[in-house]
Amino acid sequence: MSGILYIILVGFVAGIIARLISPGPNNLSGFILTTVLGIGGAFLATFIGQAIGHYGPNQGAGFITATIGALLVLFIWNRLVARRMISDPGGR
């Protein structure tokens, strides 16, 4: 249980950093969406790291890896919005 809380905390911080790095409007819904996607990126980084044997079964992704995962998820999200495959809840 503490491993999941660690991933969520690291993902939240990674999402905030990714929000500062990624372009776009800095509105509240964008911030919330970015932090949720950052948490998703941390889970993705943990899953990939455990799959390739870099992390143990009860070990979460590190801060740098979670930030990279968050940026990857944000990049994919932005590409899907740009192609109008999904709508942007924070856009007009």
Side-chain angles (χ1 to χ4, degrees):
M1 184 66 176
S2 66
I4 292 174
L5 292 175
Y6 173 77
I7 293 170
I8 291 172
L9 179 68
V10 169
F12 177 75
V13 174
I16 291 171
I17 290 174
R19 176 75 242 161
L20 294 173
I21 293 173
S22 67
N26 209 3
N27 53 20
L28 181 61
S29 63
F31 176 77
I32 293 170
L33 180 63
T34 301
T35 55
V36 168
L37 291 175
I39 292 169
F43 275 103
L44 175 69
T46 299
F47 174 74
I48 291 173
Q50 288 176 352
I52 63 173
H54 187 67
Y55 300 119
N58 295 327
Q59 195 175 15
F63 179 71
I64 294 172
T65 310
T67 304
I68 292 170
L71 286 171
L72 178 66
V73 169
L74 283 172
F75 175 76
I76 293 169
W77 178 269
N78 288 333
R79 292 294 91 211
L80 291 174
V81 168
R83 292 185 182 175
R84 301 195 190 278
M85 297 178 84
I86 56 175
S87 64
D88 186 11
R92 294 182 182 208

